[in-house]
Amino acid sequence: MENILSQQQNQYIDHSKMEVIFNNINRPVTLKFENVVYKINLAKEGCFKNSPKSNEEKIILKGVSGIVSPGEMLAILGPSGSGKTTLLTGLGGRLVNGHLKGVIMYNNKTFTNAMNRNTGFVTQDDVLYPHLTVSETLVFTALLRLPKTFTVEEKTTHADAIMSQLGLTKCKDIIVGGPFLRGISGGERKRVSIGQEMLINPSLLFLDEPTSGLDSTTALRIVSTLRDLAKGGRTVVLTIHQPSSRLFYMFKKVLLLSEGNPLYFGRGEDAMEYFSGIGFSPLVAMNPSDFLLDLSNGILSDDPRVLVDTPIEDPASIKKTLVTAFKTNLVENMKEQLQESDVHQVAEKLHEKKFTQWSNTWWQQFSVLFRRGMKERKHESFSSLKVGEVLVVAFLCGLLWWKSNNIQDQVGLMFFYTDFWSFFPLLQAIFTFPQERMMLEKERSSGMYRLSAYFMARTIGDLPMELVLPTIFTVITYWMTGLKPSALNFFSTLFSILYNVLVSQGLGLALGAMIMDQESATVLGSVIILSFTLAGGYFVQHVPWFISWIKYISISQYTYKLLLGSQYSHGETYSCGMNATCLVEDFPTIKTIGLGGKGISMVALAVMFFGYRFLAYVALMRVGVTKK
């Protein structure tokens, strides 16, 4: 009985904590923006490659104002290119490039790290890991985003509650999927994206085109869910392209944009009455959003049955008339609303005194990211194609050099080790960060974890496969090719190969992080490794002085020196003719490289090991950085 009571008390405590997360972790936020202007510089190339560039400034937003209070849902409408996403991104504090001017206030305070922590932002594209299940996706997000004051069990319970709230329980054990991997439906994916942001119970929720690509029924469910969230005291702002009439009347407020100009701001149910009052009134029933989008495009109607009370037909003139009407009829009323907000609104503290930059410790972030990465990439790291590729090359190599006791052949084998295990890990590592750029931008901009925790988890998570495959390769080829059968020689060779793998991997990580384009990084990486190979001391033994500097930064040369040192030593001889022996160090290829200086080679490779990873880390610092 005591155990049962204890369990009931624990359940009560857990439930009460969940209620705290849902209802009290954040405070309501009033979003106010006034005269928001956004400009970007467009650099134009001349006709010739070396001609000077001319800078042209483009204005994306042209003085947009508005206010959204807790419990309200604001829909930003407009055709493509009208500035909807730009405005949403600016309001969410996520614009990095360009020049943003105007006043954007959150409870009469500017955007801060504390505000960022209490803001949810759902992008138009659902950036999710395809091989994780719905449950794993939300649980890992909860472990990263919820405060460390909650236990793992409480965070998991909260993720389960979110799945239940969004109707995801039936698909919780199904993988998310992607373009080429079957998983959950598009509507379920969108709800998972919303669920990730709802885990922190945000005071302010931004959504970019949440109904894009969804059928009308699924879109209705999504918007209904958002309306219920708003009724719970949250402030919801979303962009939407062309909602149905059922969706349109769910919006508490509507902001209509055309080429960055506001054409209407007010209650959704009053929009048609406003445009009718300024002479733009359809004479037949139609979807209000369709009519508003036609007006924002400067088109009265493609349907001859729909007439408006205005003789204007030119699209530019229509837009100009609507902009003038907005300034004449709505701007003053909007200014009054903003001033009333300044007088009556009490600035919320948003837990600023208790705010810490990170929800969890570095080690907690690292461990969660490491486990998540291993789950997501296990299909890729241990793929049969990759393993089969290495095994085929290993046995082919073993057969070609079968029990070879010729020093020329063995030296060639050492260089093949160097070459193959430079290219293979480099090309694998180049894809690491470009593939995860969107995920990194999304999670970093929300302040989910430290970049150092992500970087360490990502690079260490790849080590098992990076080291297992070359080890298997070495075990197979070493004994098939007849190299020295002592443990010291074998482990020296294995160490040299693994050292080469780690350094080459670091170079690949740096190139991928700096360029962030898989094709360009692959081409550049291939050229660099090819240059290192040519200057490695095997193909060209007498490199001209003006290009010999390459060998000092060549991974291949230092690894080649270590591999030769693992098999040969000073004073050792080999058969060089009829009853004649020669010193190994006098063999032409070995003489060029030399059997000494192994310590220098290890130090040089160590500098490269840390240097390349440092470059990769610095390059990643620019990804996902939010402009405060």
Side-chain angles (χ1 to χ4, degrees):
M1 177 65 72
E2 291 180 359
N3 291 334
I4 294 176
L5 289 174
S6 177
Q7 291 176 1
Q8 290 177 344
Q9 289 174 352
N10 290 335
Q11 290 175 358
Y12 174 76
I13 293 173
D14 292 345
H15 181 266
S16 65
K17 272 201 170 187
M18 291 306 104
E19 289 296 324
V20 169
I21 297 177
F22 273 117
N23 300 321
N24 300 324
I25 193 170
N26 297 322
R27 296 184 180 182
V29 171
T30 297
L31 170 64
K32 180 176 61 177
F33 49 101
E34 186 173 3
N35 197 29
V36 175
V37 177
Y38 181 67
K39 303 176 182 179
I40 59 174
N41 291 325
L42 301 177
K44 288 189 174 182
E45 294 281 358
C47 297
F48 299 97
K49 184 176 181 180
N50 296 325
S51 62
K53 296 180 181 179
S54 60
N55 291 327
E56 179 182 347
E57 192 175 63
K58 182 177 181 180
I59 304 177
I60 307 298
L61 299 175
K62 305 172 183 177
V64 184
S65 303
I67 184 172
V68 198
S69 302
E72 295 181 338
M73 180 165 59
L74 168 66
I76 305 175
L77 275 69
S80 299
S82 61
K84 302 190 302 295
T85 299
T86 301
L87 176 61
L88 188 80
T89 308
L91 297 178
R94 299 195 176 202
L95 279 178
V96 178
N97 300 317
H99 306 283
L100 183 66
K101 296 181 180 179
V103 178
I104 303 177
M105 305 294 285
Y106 313 81
N107 285 345
N108 285 341
K109 301 181 97 49
T110 58
F111 195 82
T112 62
N113 284 324
M115 188 65 245
N116 187 40
R117 185 63 53 80
N118 295 319
T119 299
F121 198 104
V122 181
T123 58
Q124 181 176 354
D125 298 320
D126 299 315
V127 184
L128 303 167
Y129 284 115
H131 293 89
L132 295 182
T133 65
V134 171
S135 178
E136 289 171 342
T137 299
L138 292 176
V139 167
F140 280 125
T141 305
L143 293 174
L144 288 169
R145 299 193 73 173
L146 291 180
K148 57 187 175 184
T149 53
F150 295 94
T151 65
V152 173
E153 291 75 15
E154 289 169 342
K155 292 180 180 182
T156 303
T157 301
H158 184 47
D160 291 336
I162 289 293
M163 282 188 284
S164 177
Q165 185 182 19
L166 296 178
L168 295 169
T169 306
K170 64 179 181 180
C171 62
K172 62 182 296 185
D173 296 322
I174 302 176
I175 62 172
V176 172
F180 305 105
L181 182 66
R182 187 173 182 179
I184 58 178
S185 67
E188 290 168 336
R189 285 170 59 87
K190 182 60 65 178
R191 278 180 277 164
V192 171
S193 296
I194 296 173
Q196 286 186 308
E197 302 303 317
M198 289 306 303
L199 284 167
I200 60 170
N201 190 28
S203 304
L204 185 57
L205 182 60
F206 295 99
L207 305 101
D208 189 12
E209 301 278 3
T211 62
S212 178
L214 303 179
D215 61 81
S216 58
T217 303
T218 304
L220 180 62
R221 290 176 181 172
I222 295 292
V223 176
S224 297
T225 301
L226 296 175
R227 181 183 60 179
D228 293 338
L229 295 176
K231 287 181 178 179
R234 298 175 181 85
T235 304
V236 179
V237 182
L238 60 92
T239 64
I240 193 164
H241 183 65
Q242 198 164 8
S244 65
S245 56
R246 290 188 299 176
L247 298 186
F248 182 84
Y249 287 112
M250 288 185 181
F251 303 138
K252 182 73 173 181
K253 289 182 176 178
V254 169
L255 171 61
L256 180 64
L257 296 178
S258 175
E259 298 179 352
N261 291 298
L263 302 185
Y264 175 77
F265 178 82
R267 297 197 305 173
E269 58 189 23
D270 296 336
M272 296 299 287
E273 181 180 351
Y274 165 75
F275 285 106
S276 176
I278 60 174
F280 294 86
S281 176
L283 300 182
V284 297
M286 64 183 300
N287 183 350
S289 63
D290 291 340
F291 182 69
L292 297 186
L293 287 175
D294 284 344
L295 291 180
S296 60
N297 278 310
I299 301 172
L300 299 183
S301 179
D302 294 330
D303 189 341
R305 295 173 301 170
V306 182
L307 303 176
V308 293
D309 302 328
T310 177
I312 302 175
E313 295 293 339
D314 179 56
S317 299
I318 294 176
K319 294 177 185 179
K320 185 176 180 180
T321 300
L322 292 171
V323 170
T324 303
F326 175 83
K327 294 178 179 179
T328 303
N329 299 289
L330 297 180
V331 168
E332 290 301 323
N333 182 45
M334 186 180 301
K335 288 182 178 179
E336 292 178 3
Q337 293 183 42
L338 295 173
Q339 291 173 356
E340 290 177 4
S341 172
D342 291 336
V343 173
H344 296 99
Q345 183 183 336
V346 178
E348 298 289 345
K349 297 298 182 183
L350 289 172
H351 305 288
E352 287 182 353
K353 292 183 180 180
K354 298 181 181 179
F355 174 74
T356 57
Q357 188 175 2
W358 306 108
S359 299
N360 296 282
T361 64
W362 188 94
W363 178 253
Q364 288 173 326
Q365 294 173 1
F366 169 80
S367 59
V368 173
L369 291 169
F370 180 81
R371 286 186 285 123
R372 186 181 72 173
M374 293 298 290
K375 274 184 173 290
E376 167 60 23
R377 295 191 302 278
K378 62 183 178 181
H379 71 284
E380 177 184 340
S381 297
F382 299 95
S383 66
S384 56
L385 180 62
K386 187 182 296 185
V387 175
E389 178 183 353
V390 172
L391 290 178
V392 168
V393 175
F395 281 107
L396 180 61
C397 180
L399 293 174
L400 288 172
W401 274 277
W402 177 261
K403 300 298 181 182
S404 174
N405 58 5
N406 181 283
I407 188 171
Q408 176 62 47
D409 291 344
Q410 291 183 347
V411 169
L413 176 62
M414 294 298 103
F415 196 79
F416 176 78
Y417 278 162
T418 301
D419 199 21
F420 182 74
W421 289 111
S422 293
F423 266 106
F424 192 83
L426 176 127
L427 295 179
Q428 297 294 324
I430 275 178
F431 293 92
T432 299
F433 297 124
Q435 287 178 338
E436 293 203 349
R437 177 174 185 172
M438 294 181 66
M439 182 64 72
L440 185 59
E441 288 179 343
K442 169 189 171 182
E443 295 181 338
R444 282 271 292 154
S445 60
S446 62
M448 190 179 294
Y449 47 71
R450 298 169 176 86
L451 178 61
S452 57
Y454 166 81
F455 185 80
M456 293 299 295
R458 188 66 177 87
T459 53
I460 293 177
D462 289 337
L463 286 183
M465 203 58 184
E466 292 291 342
L467 299 180
V468 167
L469 283 181
T471 301
I472 295 174
F473 182 93
T474 305
V475 169
I476 293 173
T477 59
Y478 192 91
W479 306 108
M480 289 181 69
T481 56
L483 298 176
K484 289 183 177 179
S486 71
L488 179 61
N489 294 114
F490 170 76
F491 283 110
S492 295
T493 302
L494 178 60
F495 170 79
S496 301
I497 292 175
L498 296 182
Y499 205 1
N500 179 41
V501 167
L502 293 176
V503 176
S504 299
Q505 181 196 39
L507 176 59
L509 293 174
L511 292 175
M514 289 188 293
I515 299 177
M516 278 297 179
D517 179 79
Q518 297 176 5
E519 184 176 352
S520 301
T522 300
V523 172
L524 180 58
S526 300
V527 172
I528 291 175
I529 288 294
L530 182 60
S531 302
F532 289 169
T533 300
L534 293 176
Y538 181 77
F539 294 112
V540 184
Q541 298 178 16
H542 302 286
V543 181
W545 64 269
F546 54 83
I547 201 173
S548 61
W549 57 269
I550 297 180
K551 67 181 180 181
Y552 296 110
I553 60 172
S554 171
I555 299 173
S556 300
Q557 191 208 31
Y558 295 119
T559 305
Y560 188 34
K561 182 185 287 288
L562 291 178
L563 285 171
L564 290 177
S566 70
Q567 289 296 308
Y568 308 109
S569 57
H570 285 287
E572 188 175 345
T573 62
Y574 70 97
S575 177
C576 57
M578 292 296 294
N579 299 323
T581 58
C582 300
L583 291 174
V584 168
E585 59 260 36
D586 290 334
F587 187 75
T589 304
I590 298 179
K591 186 176 182 179
T592 303
I593 298 297
L595 294 178
K598 288 189 289 185
I600 296 176
S601 297
M602 293 184 64
V603 171
L605 290 175
V607 171
M608 294 181 189
F609 175 86
F610 291 106
Y612 289 143
R613 281 167 172 75
F614 178 74
L615 287 177
Y617 181 81
V618 172
L620 286 179
M621 293 177 68
R622 73 182 192 277
V623 179
V625 178
T626 303
K627 188 174 182 180
K628 301 293 189 292

